[in-house]
Amino acid sequence: MKSYLLSAALVALSLSVCAQDHPERRKRHYDMQARTYYRGPVRFSAGAGVGLYNGDLTKGLSNQLPGPSFSLGVLYPVHPHWTVGTEATYFQIGSTDYLPERNLAFRGRNGTGTVFVRFEPLRDGAYYATPRPAPTALVKPYLKLGVGLALYSPKAYNGTTRPDDNTSFLRPERGDYPALAIVAPVGLGVTLRLTPKLNATAEAAYYFTTTDQLDDISTGLGRSSSALNDGYGLVELKLEYSPWSK
């Protein structure tokens, strides 16, 4: 009797697992060519790279004081060519002055939270219901557009090198740092499929901002004559992990 009950329980469990794994349990969607595809699954990303600044102090790479960047994100494919996501990033930027007579420099430590969409032009058979109309794409380029908020906290100083413990920072242009600004990232990337659950991604994005004080240098205290908003770029390598992929 015990053997019968154990066998029945194992059969019931097997049927339950099979039912959950069966593709018909997932909601089907259709693209413009009436091809059936599935949305998801969720992917988690973690990345690291470098932050680069664009603003009043620099006219190229020679004055950059690049800093590290670290990001965590969540992505969800909603269509074979479209993925939506959100990401939190910490990054540091800095620069010395391209005008020697002005002798300014800054260091900024910042954080952002963004939401974005990614467009992947290549067809990936992994998103479609079987039989798949295209093979699984191993390499996928993409475009990225988004919007978000940046919490920025710059410190300006006189000098031509990175700040240290002996650096005397200038009086800040505003008294409410860290301050908020709207950001709009525009980027390019390429994803390499390593396993069904793991991707590697290389991404470069430029972030437009609504502030001229990302470097604490603007027309406010006469440190600059330019009223153009500052911006920055992030170049990162990321890993994307999907625990529910099969």
Side-chain angles (χ1 to χ4, degrees):
M1 185 65 176
K2 291 182 179 180
S3 176
Y4 172 77
L5 291 176
L6 179 60
S7 300
L10 291 175
V11 170
L13 179 61
S14 299
L15 291 175
S16 175
V17 171
C18 290
Q20 292 177 1
D21 288 347
H22 197 277
E24 295 300 331
R25 301 286 295 183
R26 301 173 61 188
K27 184 177 180 179
R28 294 189 172 208
H29 302 271
Y30 299 89
D31 64 14
M32 297 182 66
Q33 284 74 44
R35 292 186 295 254
T36 306
Y37 68 92
Y38 299 123
R39 293 177 178 171
V42 171
R43 301 199 300 268
F44 300 95
S45 69
V50 63
L52 300 168
Y53 152 82
N54 179 36
D56 301 78
L57 294 185
T58 183
K59 287 189 177 296
L61 294 175
S62 60
N63 301 106
Q64 293 283 336
L65 299 175
S69 70
F70 305 95
S71 63
L72 294 173
V74 180
L75 303 105
Y76 185 74
V78 296
H79 183 274
H81 296 292
W82 295 94
T83 295
V84 298
T86 183
E87 193 167 58
T89 305
Y90 167 83
F91 66 99
Q92 181 174 310
I93 52 176
S95 176
T96 58
D97 205 333
Y98 76 96
L99 294 175
E101 64 274 14
R102 196 166 52 177
N103 192 37
L104 289 171
F106 91 101
R107 179 198 67 199
R109 293 172 175 170
N110 318 285
T112 60
T114 59
V115 292
F116 58 85
V117 295
R118 288 190 351 189
F119 172 68
E120 302 170 352
L122 299 183
R123 187 187 304 175
D124 187 352
Y127 291 125
Y128 289 93
T130 55
R132 293 174 178 171
T136 299
L138 299 180
V139 179
K140 295 190 295 183
Y142 63 84
L143 302 174
K144 175 180 177 179
L145 295 172
V147 67
L149 292 175
L151 190 67
Y152 62 99
S153 183
K155 290 186 176 182
Y157 59 96
N158 294 119
T160 58
T161 60
R162 292 182 181 273
D164 55 30
D165 294 338
N166 298 317
T167 299
S168 179
F169 294 102
L170 301 176
R171 178 168 68 92
E173 289 197 332
R174 53 192 294 177
D176 61 346
Y177 292 130
L180 279 173
I182 297 173
V183 296
V186 178
L188 297 169
V190 60
T191 297
L192 175 65
R193 182 183 175 92
L194 301 178
T195 72
K197 293 180 179 291
L198 187 65
N199 294 336
T201 297
E203 180 181 284
Y206 183 81
Y207 288 69
F208 296 92
T209 81
T210 57
T211 180
D212 185 29
Q213 294 174 317
L214 202 63
D215 47 17
D216 196 37
I217 294 166
S218 69
T219 58
L221 293 182
R223 294 173 182 168
S224 172
S225 60
S226 172
L228 297 176
N229 289 339
D230 300 326
Y232 62 94
L234 297 178
V235 180
E236 291 190 319
L237 296 176
K238 304 177 183 181
L239 290 177
E240 299 175 359
Y241 177 67
S242 178
W244 297 287
S245 290
K246 298 176 182 180

